[in-house]
């Protein structure tokens, strides 16, 4: 979300390190609803459940996903 300061700092780092071509970005809607961050027709929680089966925590942003491996890598902005 461009509205999230933690997600924003990962976008800044992505640009500073020249990783725009290597790391794609999908932005969630800037408003949360009762389920959490909206993402198109679904929610960020759908992404968490797809990449982290059994996940029961909050679906936060940012989330770094390895699409080739089909796995979530990290949701900690300091690590990303």
């Amino acid at each position: 979300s461009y509205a999230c300061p933690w997600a924003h700092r990962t976008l800044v780092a992505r640009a500073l390190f020249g990783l725009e071509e290597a790391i794609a970005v999908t932005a969630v809607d800037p408003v949360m609803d009762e389920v959490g961050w909206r993402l198109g027709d679904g929610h960020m929680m759908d992404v968490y459940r797809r990449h982290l089966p059994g996940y029961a925590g909050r679906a936060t942003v940012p989330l770094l996903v390895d699409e080739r491996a089909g796995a979530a890598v990290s949701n900690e902005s300091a690590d990303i």
Side-chain angles (χ1 to χ4, degrees):
S1 170
Y2 297 117
C4 172
W6 295 277
H8 183 259
R9 80 181 193 168
T10 64
L11 293 174
V12 170
R14 176 179 167 261
L16 289 174
F17 288 105
L19 297 171
E20 294 94 342
E21 297 296 319
I23 301 173
V25 172
T26 301
V28 297
D29 294 344
V31 179
M32 295 176 70
D33 63 17
E34 64 279 351
V35 177
W37 292 109
R38 288 185 309 237
L39 181 61
D41 291 338
H43 285 87
M44 192 66 189
M45 183 56 84
D46 301 328
V47 177
Y48 270 79
R49 289 183 180 141
R50 183 170 49 250
H51 297 290
L52 292 167
Y55 182 78
R58 291 183 45 203
T60 59
V61 294
L63 175 66
L64 182 61
V65 173
D66 181 337
E67 290 291 344
R68 289 184 189 162
V73 176
S74 179
N75 67 349
E76 174 51 58
S77 62
D79 295 339
I80 297 171

